[in-house]
């Protein structure tokens, strides 16, 4: 599958690190577990950039085979930072594989990969800080309450 080049591609990685977040400044990050169908629509709309270490290639190929994503897997690690332009990151969570010091190993057998399960978490960066969003929500609630009070008023004449 060939994904579009939009300038607003979704990053895909097997991990989340602080260096990925340094390009966003002050803002709010939302996190949600998402489905494969949702991701396919997201990738088809925005495009995708895969970031992984060369030794993780077989693991990502297994994800490609299992879910038919059609990722172009790079030969070398593509470092990135989330920013105003690139606001989305999908982290592929891997369960069922042996780890060393909490990290995935450099290689696995086909039998080990057969035991792996995957879930997908989307991180989205908003340029507004949470506190600012909360103030806006509170203001809108107050306006709605005023409107409702006006609509439901009882005038005594």
């Amino acid at each position: 599958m060939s994904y579009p080049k939009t300038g607003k591609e979704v990053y895909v990685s097997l991990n989340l690190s602080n260096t990925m977040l340094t390009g966003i400044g002050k803002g709010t990050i939302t996190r949600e577990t998402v489905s494969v169908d949702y991701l396919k629509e997201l990738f088809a709309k925005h495009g995708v950039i895969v970031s992984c270490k060369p030794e993780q290639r077989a693991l990502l190929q297994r994800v490609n085979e299992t879910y038919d994503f059609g990722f172009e897997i790079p030969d070398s690690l593509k470092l990135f930072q989330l920013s105003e332009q690139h606001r989305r990151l999908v982290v592929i969570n891997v369960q069922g594989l042996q780890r060393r010091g909490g990290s995935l190993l450099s290689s696995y057998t086909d039998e080990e990969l057969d035991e792996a399960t995957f879930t997908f978490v989307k991180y989205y960066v908003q340029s507004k800080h949470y506190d600012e969003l909360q103030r806006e929500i509170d203001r809108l609630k107050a306006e709605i309450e005023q409107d409702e009070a006006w609509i439901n008023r009882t005038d005594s004449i």
Side-chain angles (χ1 to χ4, degrees):
M1 172 176 250
S2 179
Y3 293 110
K5 303 289 185 212
T6 64
K8 296 186 178 193
E9 287 82 1
V10 179
Y11 290 115
V12 172
S13 182
L14 289 165
N15 66 332
L16 174 66
S17 70
N18 282 333
T19 58
M20 296 174 181
L21 306 175
T22 58
I24 59 174
K26 189 175 181 180
T28 299
I29 300 172
T30 58
R31 176 192 183 280
E32 66 179 316
T33 301
V34 292
S35 70
V36 170
D37 290 335
Y38 172 86
L39 289 177
K40 287 181 177 182
E41 289 178 24
L42 187 69
F43 298 154
K45 181 177 180 181
H46 296 286
V48 64
I49 298 173
V50 176
S51 174
C52 70
K53 297 175 185 174
E55 60 267 19
Q56 296 170 327
R57 185 175 190 82
L59 190 53
L60 275 173
Q61 284 175 330
R62 179 57 62 104
V63 171
N64 257 348
E65 293 166 7
T66 304
Y67 301 103
D68 193 31
F69 281 130
F71 292 146
E72 291 179 21
I73 303 171
D75 292 326
S76 60
L77 177 62
K78 288 186 177 183
L79 297 176
F80 67 88
Q81 292 179 341
L82 295 176
S83 65
E84 287 297 311
Q85 184 178 14
H86 295 284
R87 296 171 175 253
R88 294 172 187 85
L89 165 65
V90 172
V91 174
I92 302 170
N93 288 326
V94 183
Q95 294 86 32
L97 292 179
Q98 184 179 4
R99 296 172 185 262
R100 183 174 297 127
S103 297
L104 294 168
L105 302 179
S106 59
S107 66
Y108 295 97
T109 66
D110 285 339
E111 292 78 23
E112 288 173 317
L113 288 174
D114 288 342
E115 296 297 317
T117 59
F118 306 97
T119 55
F120 306 93
V121 177
K122 181 185 80 168
Y123 294 83
Y124 180 77
V125 176
Q126 291 181 273
S127 58
K128 289 186 178 183
H129 189 270
Y130 175 82
D131 294 340
E132 186 180 340
L133 291 171
Q134 191 60 53
R135 283 191 296 275
E136 189 173 331
I137 289 169
D138 292 343
R139 181 185 58 77
L140 291 170
K141 281 181 182 177
E143 286 179 13
I144 289 171
E145 288 172 3
Q146 285 178 338
D147 289 347
E148 286 176 347
W150 175 254
I151 290 168
N152 297 324
R153 74 187 184 288
T154 54
D155 294 330
S156 52
I157 297 185

